[in-house]
Amino acid sequence: MSADPRSLYQEVILDHNRKPRNHGVLAHPSHHAEGLNPLCGDHIQVAFDLVGDTINAIAFQGESCAICKASASMMTMAVKGKRKDEAQALAHEFIDMATGRLDPKDSQHIGRLAVFSGISELPMRVKCAILPWHTLQAAFNAVATTSTEADEDPMHTPLGDA
Ligand code: ZN
């Protein structure tokens, strides 16, 4: 309806909260992890099935705020059918964009995820938006649980007994 990026953002958040995509449980996922954002109370699980090198199926569930839920829903759409390296590159770009280090115009992969670019101006919400992507990375790295408060960059410093 409107070209205003802020109202597009609102629309996308609302839409994905009303109808979260790939929401639920996978029967026998090859990879899964749990993500925590203590600042907001977001607590999600991300599970996927890697067949060969490709994410064949992916699902998320949990208790989270609207931003986290919309981000998780859009993430599952974005990485489903992608190769591991593509999904991980996208996770890096999303996190860089959400933290203000990447202009979405400079990315060829961000696509519709660019609606989250304004989040970098809302420091309290940045972790809500990137939690699903941190959790995806944790699952790839066989880290059972990741927390936005545990480390600046959990994808490079696996936690727990992994
Ligand atoms: Zn949140």
Side-chain angles (χ1 to χ4, degrees), residues 27-88:
H28 302 287
S30 62
H31 294 69
H32 61 92
E34 182 176 42
L36 297 164
N37 173 17
L39 284 186
C40 175
D42 302 318
H43 182 188
I44 61 166
Q45 289 95 38
V46 172
F48 58 87
D49 246 328
L50 208 58
V51 175
D53 215 20
T54 300
I55 298 177
N56 200 39
I58 181 164
F60 80 99
Q61 59 167 343
E63 294 294 322
S64 71
C65 68
I67 291 172
C68 183
K69 194 170 186 178
S71 177
S73 175
M74 289 187 77
M75 176 187 79
T76 61
M77 292 177 74
V79 303
K80 193 172 178 181
K82 288 224 165 37
R83 289 195 320 268
K84 178 182 177 178
D85 59 330
E86 294 172 325
Q88 290 188 308

Coordinates of all heavy atoms in Angstrom, one line a residue, residues 27-88:
A27 N 10.2 -33.8 12.7 CA 10.2 -35.1 13.4 C 11.6 -35.5 13.7 O 11.9 -35.8 14.9 CB 9.5 -36.1 12.5
H28 N 12.5 -35.6 12.8 CA 13.9 -36.0 13.0 C 14.9 -35.1 12.4 O 15.5 -35.5 11.4 CB 14.0 -37.5 12.5 CG 13.1 -38.4 13.1 ND1 13.2 -38.9 14.4 CD2 12.0 -39.0 12.6 CE1 12.2 -39.7 14.7 NE2 11.4 -39.8 13.6
P29 N 15.0 -33.9 12.9 CA 16.0 -33.0 12.3 C 17.4 -33.4 12.4 O 17.8 -34.0 13.4 CB 15.7 -31.7 13.1 CG 15.3 -32.1 14.4 CD 14.5 -33.4 14.2
S30 N 18.2 -33.1 11.4 CA 19.6 -33.4 11.5 C 20.3 -32.4 12.3 O 21.4 -32.7 12.9 CB 20.2 -33.5 10.1 OG 20.1 -32.2 9.4
H31 N 19.8 -31.2 12.4 CA 20.4 -30.1 13.2 C 19.4 -29.4 14.0 O 18.3 -29.1 13.4 CB 21.1 -29.1 12.3 CG 22.3 -29.7 11.5 ND1 22.2 -30.6 10.5 CD2 23.6 -29.4 11.7 CE1 23.4 -30.9 10.1 NE2 24.3 -30.2 10.7
H32 N 19.7 -29.0 15.2 CA 18.8 -28.2 15.9 C 19.5 -27.4 17.0 O 20.6 -27.9 17.5 CB 17.6 -29.0 16.6 CG 18.1 -30.0 17.5 ND1 18.2 -29.8 18.9 CD2 18.5 -31.3 17.3 CE1 18.7 -30.9 19.5 NE2 18.9 -31.8 18.6
A33 N 19.0 -26.3 17.4 CA 19.6 -25.5 18.5 C 18.5 -24.7 19.1 O 17.4 -24.5 18.6 CB 20.7 -24.7 18.0
E34 N 18.8 -24.2 20.3 CA 17.9 -23.4 21.1 C 18.6 -22.0 21.2 O 19.8 -21.9 21.5 CB 17.8 -24.0 22.5 CG 16.9 -23.4 23.4 CD 16.8 -24.3 24.7 OE1 17.9 -24.8 25.1 OE2 15.8 -24.5 25.2
G35 N 17.8 -20.9 21.1 CA 18.4 -19.6 21.2 C 17.7 -18.8 22.3 O 16.4 -18.8 22.4
L36 N 18.5 -18.1 23.1 CA 17.9 -17.3 24.2 C 18.4 -15.8 24.0 O 19.5 -15.5 23.7 CB 18.5 -17.8 25.5 CG 18.1 -19.2 25.9 CD1 19.0 -19.7 27.0 CD2 16.7 -19.3 26.4
N37 N 17.4 -14.9 24.2 CA 17.7 -13.5 24.3 C 17.2 -13.0 25.7 O 16.0 -12.6 25.7 CB 17.1 -12.7 23.2 CG 17.3 -11.2 23.3 OD1 18.1 -10.8 24.0 ND2 16.4 -10.5 22.5
P38 N 18.0 -13.1 26.7 CA 17.5 -12.7 28.1 C 17.0 -11.3 28.2 O 16.1 -11.0 29.0 CB 18.7 -13.0 29.0 CG 19.7 -13.8 28.2 CD 19.4 -13.5 26.7
L39 N 17.5 -10.4 27.4 CA 17.1 -9.0 27.5 C 15.6 -8.8 27.2 O 15.0 -8.0 27.8 CB 17.9 -8.1 26.5 CG 19.3 -7.8 26.9 CD1 19.9 -6.8 25.8 CD2 19.4 -7.2 28.2
C40 N 15.1 -9.6 26.3 CA 13.7 -9.5 25.9 C 12.9 -10.7 26.4 O 11.7 -10.5 26.6 CB 13.6 -9.4 24.4 SG 12.0 -9.4 23.7
G41 N 13.5 -11.8 26.6 CA 12.8 -13.0 27.0 C 12.5 -13.9 25.8 O 11.7 -14.8 26.0
D42 N 13.1 -13.6 24.7 CA 12.9 -14.5 23.5 C 13.6 -15.9 23.8 O 14.7 -15.9 24.3 CB 13.6 -13.9 22.3 CG 13.0 -12.5 22.0 OD1 11.8 -12.4 22.1 OD2 13.8 -11.7 21.6
H43 N 12.9 -16.9 23.5 CA 13.4 -18.3 23.7 C 12.8 -19.1 22.5 O 11.6 -19.4 22.5 CB 12.9 -18.8 25.0 CG 13.4 -20.2 25.3 ND1 12.9 -20.9 26.4 CD2 14.3 -21.0 24.7 CE1 13.6 -22.1 26.4 NE2 14.4 -22.1 25.4
I44 N 13.7 -19.4 21.6 CA 13.2 -20.1 20.4 C 14.0 -21.4 20.1 O 15.1 -21.6 20.6 CB 13.3 -19.3 19.1 CG1 14.7 -18.8 18.8 CG2 12.3 -18.1 19.2 CD1 14.9 -18.2 17.4
Q45 N 13.4 -22.3 19.3 CA 14.1 -23.5 18.8 C 14.1 -23.5 17.3 O 13.0 -23.2 16.7 CB 13.5 -24.8 19.3 CG 13.6 -25.0 20.8 CD 12.4 -24.5 21.6 OE1 11.3 -24.6 21.2 NE2 12.7 -24.0 22.8
V46 N 15.2 -23.8 16.7 CA 15.3 -23.9 15.3 C 15.8 -25.3 14.9 O 16.8 -25.7 15.6 CB 16.3 -22.8 14.7 CG1 16.5 -23.0 13.2 CG2 15.8 -21.4 14.9
A47 N 15.1 -25.9 14.0 CA 15.5 -27.3 13.6 C 15.5 -27.4 12.1 O 14.6 -26.8 11.5 CB 14.6 -28.3 14.2
F48 N 16.4 -28.1 11.5 CA 16.4 -28.3 10.1 C 17.0 -29.6 9.7 O 17.7 -30.2 10.5 CB 17.0 -27.1 9.3 CG 18.5 -26.9 9.7 CD1 19.5 -27.5 9.0 CD2 18.8 -26.0 10.6 CE1 20.8 -27.3 9.3 CE2 20.1 -25.7 11.0 CZ 21.1 -26.4 10.3
D49 N 16.7 -30.0 8.5 CA 17.2 -31.2 7.9 C 18.1 -30.9 6.8 O 17.7 -30.3 5.8 CB 16.0 -32.1 7.4 CG 15.8 -33.3 8.2 OD1 16.8 -33.9 8.7 OD2 14.7 -33.8 8.3
L50 N 19.4 -31.3 7.0 CA 20.4 -31.1 5.9 C 20.4 -32.4 5.1 O 20.8 -33.4 5.6 CB 21.7 -30.7 6.6 CG 22.7 -29.9 5.8 CD1 22.1 -28.5 5.4 CD2 24.0 -29.7 6.6
V51 N 20.1 -32.3 3.8 CA 20.2 -33.4 3.0 C 21.3 -33.1 2.0 O 21.2 -32.2 1.2 CB 18.8 -33.7 2.2 CG1 19.0 -34.9 1.3 CG2 17.8 -34.0 3.3
G52 N 22.4 -33.9 2.0 CA 23.6 -33.6 1.3 C 24.1 -32.3 1.9 O 24.4 -32.2 3.1
D53 N 24.1 -31.2 1.2 CA 24.5 -29.9 1.7 C 23.4 -28.9 1.7 O 23.6 -27.7 1.8 CB 25.7 -29.5 0.8 CG 26.7 -28.7 1.6 OD1 26.7 -28.9 2.8 OD2 27.5 -27.9 1.0
T54 N 22.2 -29.4 1.5 CA 21.0 -28.5 1.3 C 20.0 -28.6 2.4 O 19.7 -29.7 2.9 CB 20.3 -28.8 0.0 OG1 21.3 -28.7 -1.1 CG2 19.2 -27.9 -0.3
I55 N 19.5 -27.4 2.8 CA 18.5 -27.4 3.9 C 17.2 -27.8 3.2 O 16.6 -27.0 2.5 CB 18.4 -26.0 4.5 CG1 19.7 -25.6 5.2 CG2 17.2 -25.9 5.5 CD1 19.7 -24.2 5.8
N56 N 16.8 -29.0 3.5 CA 15.6 -29.6 2.9 C 14.3 -29.2 3.6 O 13.3 -29.0 2.9 CB 15.8 -31.1 2.9 CG 14.9 -31.8 1.9 OD1 14.8 -31.3 0.8 ND2 14.4 -32.9 2.3
A57 N 14.4 -29.1 4.9 CA 13.2 -28.7 5.7 C 13.7 -27.9 6.9 O 14.8 -28.2 7.4 CB 12.4 -29.9 6.1
I58 N 12.9 -27.0 7.3 CA 13.3 -26.2 8.5 C 12.0 -25.7 9.2 O 11.0 -25.5 8.6 CB 14.2 -24.9 8.1 CG1 14.6 -24.1 9.3 CG2 13.4 -24.1 7.0 CD1 15.7 -23.2 9.0
A59 N 12.2 -25.7 10.5 CA 11.0 -25.2 11.4 C 11.5 -24.5 12.6 O 12.7 -24.7 13.0 CB 10.2 -26.4 11.8
F60 N 10.7 -23.6 13.1 CA 11.0 -23.0 14.4 C 9.8 -22.9 15.3 O 8.7 -23.1 14.8 CB 11.5 -21.5 14.1 CG 10.4 -20.5 13.9 CD1 10.0 -19.7 14.9 CD2 9.8 -20.4 12.7 CE1 9.0 -18.8 14.7 CE2 8.8 -19.5 12.4 CZ 8.4 -18.7 13.5
Q61 N 10.1 -22.8 16.6 CA 9.0 -22.6 17.5 C 9.6 -21.9 18.7 O 10.8 -21.7 18.8 CB 8.4 -24.0 17.9 CG 9.4 -24.9 18.5 CD 8.8 -26.1 19.2 OE1 7.6 -26.1 19.5 NE2 9.6 -27.1 19.4
G62 N 8.7 -21.6 19.7 CA 9.2 -21.0 20.9 C 8.3 -19.8 21.3 O 7.3 -19.5 20.7
E63 N 8.8 -19.1 22.4 CA 8.1 -17.9 22.9 C 9.0 -16.7 22.6 O 10.2 -16.7 22.9 CB 8.0 -18.0 24.4 CG 7.0 -19.2 24.9 CD 5.6 -18.9 24.5 OE1 5.2 -17.7 24.5 OE2 4.9 -19.8 24.1
S64 N 8.4 -15.8 21.9 CA 9.3 -14.6 21.5 C 8.4 -13.4 21.2 O 7.2 -13.6 21.0 CB 10.2 -14.9 20.3 OG 9.4 -15.0 19.1
C65 N 9.0 -12.3 21.1 CA 8.3 -11.1 20.8 C 8.0 -11.1 19.3 O 8.5 -12.0 18.5 CB 9.1 -9.8 21.1 SG 10.7 -9.7 20.2
A66 N 7.3 -10.1 18.8 CA 6.9 -10.0 17.4 C 8.0 -9.9 16.5 O 8.1 -10.5 15.4 CB 5.9 -8.9 17.2
I67 N 9.0 -9.2 16.8 CA 10.2 -9.0 15.9 C 11.0 -10.3 15.8 O 11.3 -10.6 14.6 CB 11.1 -7.9 16.5 CG1 10.4 -6.5 16.4 CG2 12.4 -7.8 15.7 CD1 11.1 -5.4 17.1
C68 N 11.2 -11.0 16.9 CA 11.9 -12.2 16.8 C 11.1 -13.3 16.0 O 11.7 -14.0 15.2 CB 12.2 -12.7 18.2 SG 13.1 -14.2 18.3
K69 N 9.8 -13.3 16.2 CA 9.0 -14.3 15.5 C 9.0 -14.0 14.0 O 9.1 -14.9 13.2 CB 7.6 -14.2 16.1 CG 6.7 -15.4 15.7 CD 5.4 -15.4 16.5 CE 4.6 -16.6 16.2 NZ 3.4 -16.6 17.1
A70 N 8.9 -12.7 13.6 CA 8.8 -12.4 12.2 C 10.2 -12.7 11.6 O 10.3 -13.2 10.5 CB 8.5 -10.9 12.1
S71 N 11.3 -12.4 12.3 CA 12.6 -12.6 11.8 C 12.8 -14.1 11.6 O 13.4 -14.6 10.6 CB 13.7 -12.1 12.7 OG 14.9 -12.4 12.3
A72 N 12.4 -14.9 12.6 CA 12.5 -16.4 12.5 C 11.7 -16.9 11.3 O 12.2 -17.8 10.5 CB 12.1 -17.1 13.7
S73 N 10.5 -16.4 11.1 CA 9.6 -16.9 10.0 C 10.3 -16.6 8.7 O 10.3 -17.4 7.8 CB 8.3 -16.2 10.2 OG 7.4 -16.5 9.1
M74 N 10.8 -15.3 8.6 CA 11.4 -14.9 7.3 C 12.7 -15.7 7.0 O 13.0 -16.0 5.9 CB 11.6 -13.4 7.3 CG 10.3 -12.7 7.1 SD 10.5 -10.9 6.9 CE 11.0 -10.8 5.2
M75 N 13.4 -15.9 8.1 CA 14.7 -16.7 8.0 C 14.4 -18.1 7.4 O 15.1 -18.5 6.5 CB 15.4 -16.8 9.3 CG 16.6 -17.7 9.2 SD 17.4 -18.0 10.9 CE 16.3 -19.3 11.4
T76 N 13.4 -18.7 7.9 CA 13.1 -20.1 7.4 C 12.8 -20.1 6.0 O 13.2 -21.0 5.2 CB 11.9 -20.8 8.2 OG1 10.7 -20.0 8.1 CG2 12.3 -20.9 9.7
M77 N 12.0 -19.0 5.5 CA 11.7 -18.9 4.1 C 13.0 -18.7 3.3 O 13.1 -19.2 2.2 CB 10.7 -17.8 3.9 CG 9.3 -18.0 4.4 SD 8.3 -16.6 4.2 CE 8.0 -16.7 2.4
A78 N 13.8 -17.8 3.8 CA 15.0 -17.4 3.1 C 16.0 -18.6 2.9 O 16.7 -18.6 1.9 CB 15.7 -16.2 3.8
V79 N 16.2 -19.4 3.9 CA 17.2 -20.4 3.8 C 16.7 -21.8 3.4 O 17.6 -22.7 3.0 CB 18.0 -20.6 5.2 CG1 18.6 -19.3 5.6 CG2 17.1 -21.2 6.2
K80 N 15.4 -22.0 3.3 CA 14.9 -23.3 2.9 C 15.3 -23.5 1.4 O 15.1 -22.7 0.6 CB 13.4 -23.3 3.0 CG 12.8 -24.7 2.9 CD 11.3 -24.7 3.3 CE 10.7 -26.1 3.1 NZ 9.3 -26.1 3.4
G81 N 15.9 -24.7 1.2 CA 16.4 -25.0 -0.2 C 17.7 -24.5 -0.5 O 18.3 -24.7 -1.6
K82 N 18.3 -23.7 0.4 CA 19.7 -23.2 0.2 C 20.7 -24.2 0.7 O 20.5 -25.0 1.6 CB 19.8 -21.9 0.9 CG 19.1 -20.7 0.3 CD 19.9 -19.5 0.3 CE 19.4 -18.4 -0.7 NZ 17.9 -18.2 -0.7
R83 N 21.9 -24.0 0.1 CA 23.1 -24.8 0.6 C 23.6 -24.2 1.9 O 23.4 -23.1 2.2 CB 24.2 -24.8 -0.4 CG 24.0 -25.6 -1.7 CD 25.3 -25.8 -2.4 NE 26.1 -24.6 -2.4 CZ 26.1 -23.6 -3.3 NH1 25.3 -23.7 -4.4 NH2 26.9 -22.6 -3.2
K84 N 24.3 -25.1 2.6 CA 24.8 -24.6 3.9 C 25.7 -23.3 3.8 O 25.5 -22.4 4.6 CB 25.7 -25.8 4.5 CG 26.4 -25.4 5.8 CD 27.2 -26.6 6.3 CE 27.9 -26.1 7.6 NZ 28.8 -27.2 8.2
D85 N 26.5 -23.3 2.8 CA 27.4 -22.1 2.7 C 26.6 -20.9 2.3 O 26.8 -19.8 2.8 CB 28.5 -22.3 1.7 CG 28.1 -22.7 0.3 OD1 27.0 -23.3 0.2 OD2 28.7 -22.3 -0.7
E86 N 25.5 -21.0 1.5 CA 24.7 -19.9 1.2 C 23.9 -19.4 2.4 O 23.8 -18.2 2.6 CB 23.7 -20.3 0.1 CG 24.3 -20.7 -1.2 CD 23.2 -21.2 -2.2 OE1 22.3 -22.0 -1.7 OE2 23.3 -20.9 -3.4
A87 N 23.4 -20.3 3.2 CA 22.6 -20.0 4.4 C 23.5 -19.3 5.4 O 23.1 -18.3 6.0 CB 22.0 -21.2 5.0
Q88 N 24.8 -19.8 5.5 CA 25.7 -19.2 6.5 C 26.1 -17.8 6.1 O 26.2 -16.8 6.9 CB 26.9 -20.1 6.8 CG 26.4 -21.3 7.5 CD 27.6 -22.1 8.0 OE1 28.5 -22.5 7.2 NE2 27.7 -22.5 9.2

